[in-house]
Amino acid sequence: MNYRHAFHAGNFADVLKHAVLCLCLERLNAKPAPYRIIDTHAGVGSYDLGGEEAERSPEWREAVGRLWVAGGGAPPDVISALAPYMTQLHRLNPDGALRVYPGSPQLAALMMREQDALRLCELHPETCVRLKETIGRDRRVRIEERNGFDALAAYLPPPERRGLVLVDPPFEEIASGRKADFDRMIVSAKKAVRRWPGGIYLFWRPLKDLEAVEDFDGRMATVLIEEMGVAADKLLVVDLWVRAPGPGPLAGAGLLICNPPFGLEEKLRALLPWLAQALDQTPAGSGISEAGWRVVSAVPEPEGA
Ligand SMILES: C[S@@+](CC[C@H](N)C(=O)[O-])C[C@H]1O[C@@H](n2cnc3c(N)ncnc32)[C@H](O)[C@@H]1O
């Protein structure tokens, strides 16, 4: 377990994941009934963009850093799609300089109401201590130092019967060619959706090995649609790439979403073309842009499934 999210906080993958998370929470906030957020791979919760780790790998400068500067000039439908996310960034950075970047736990805590609950798992002991320092005193929050994949089923269904699950593993094995987190995600998705078919689920995955991603999406579609009875139009994939995806440094990532809230797809279709252009990292001299996006509803099952 060597992964440290501080090196990547605020990069393009975080921007997409966190913008989607905030759009989902905005929808949940539209009704007064309480809900619960379960974040199986929480990280430290909040990041200092001037800190040593962020400085050593300033991925955020080319992503949330650009958004911080350019976001205000975006067309109205883009501003509207980014609003729940940008509002939280502005709350944390009120003097206009971007220094604090919220992880998913802090974004959740900022957006949820008094009546809502947040359950967090973080397996790395030191990271978990820092997470508790960041957010542990909030009485709406419970943090466990345990394996989020294993814990998930035990949290479901939540007593509120409304809410969201974020599954955001580090995919460390990708570097060595193994893809264990894809398989773990499918196993825990199956158990979770069986116990709580009505939840909103966000499954994050990197776009590195595109065949592996296609295989994962297809297997998830088979499990969720055929085995769990989820309607095909309740699956949505959103992907963003800032350079040509492939092996090497992360150039693309996205989410497979089960039970997306009403209106999410439309917001993403408005946001993604602008975001891909704004966060484009095509190497100089390439001529044509390598950045791109896709929003796919009713994820196809693999052939012969
Ligand atoms: C990608 S980061 C999470 C980022 C966070 N969700 C966010 O958006 O701000 C993944 C985290 O999962 C932790 N982790 C790795 N394996 C885990 C497991 N099996 N269960 C829970 N946490 C795990 C890592 O220590 C790391 O902090």
Side-chain angles (χ1 to χ4, degrees), residues 62-63 66-67 70-71 240 242 272-281 291:
E62 304 305 331
R66 289 195 200 172
L67 208 58
L240 170 68
V242 293
L272 266 290
W274 184 88
L275 200 58
Q277 216 173 14
L279 306 190
D280 190 343
Q281 293 180 27

Side-chain angles (χ1 to χ4, degrees), residues 154-201:
Y155 291 146
L156 303 178
E160 298 84 358
R161 306 274 165 165
R162 298 182 73 218
L164 174 148
V165 174
L166 170 63
V167 185
D168 182 20
F171 283 91
E172 283 176 296
E173 297 88 344
I174 289 285
S176 58
R178 290 171 53 223
K179 308 172 196 88
D181 278 344
F182 282 121
D183 294 334
R184 291 187 196 119
M185 198 128 80
I186 292 171
V187 171
S188 64
K190 189 169 164 172
K191 283 191 204 154
V193 175
R194 176 175 291 138
R195 292 177 72 91
W196 189 33
I200 301 168
Y201 292 88

Side-chain angles (χ1 to χ4, degrees), residues 68-91:
W68 188 250
V69 175
D77 54 351
V78 171
I79 290 189
S80 154
L82 283 173
Y85 170 60
M86 293 304 286
T87 300
Q88 310 319 317
L89 292 184
H90 284 285
R91 281 173 75 183

Side-chain angles (χ1 to χ4, degrees), residues 1 3-5 14 17-18 39-45 47 102-105 121-124 127 146-149 166 168-170 172:
M1 266 206 319
Y3 183 87
R4 292 288 182 280
H5 194 67
D14 263 11
K17 170 181 60 184
H18 292 155
D39 187 347
T40 57
H41 297 70
V44 296
Y47 301 88
S104 48
C121 290
E122 171 53 55
L123 189 57
H124 190 273
T127 305
R146 67 182 285 200
N147 186 322
F149 286 120
L166 170 63
D168 182 20
E172 283 176 296

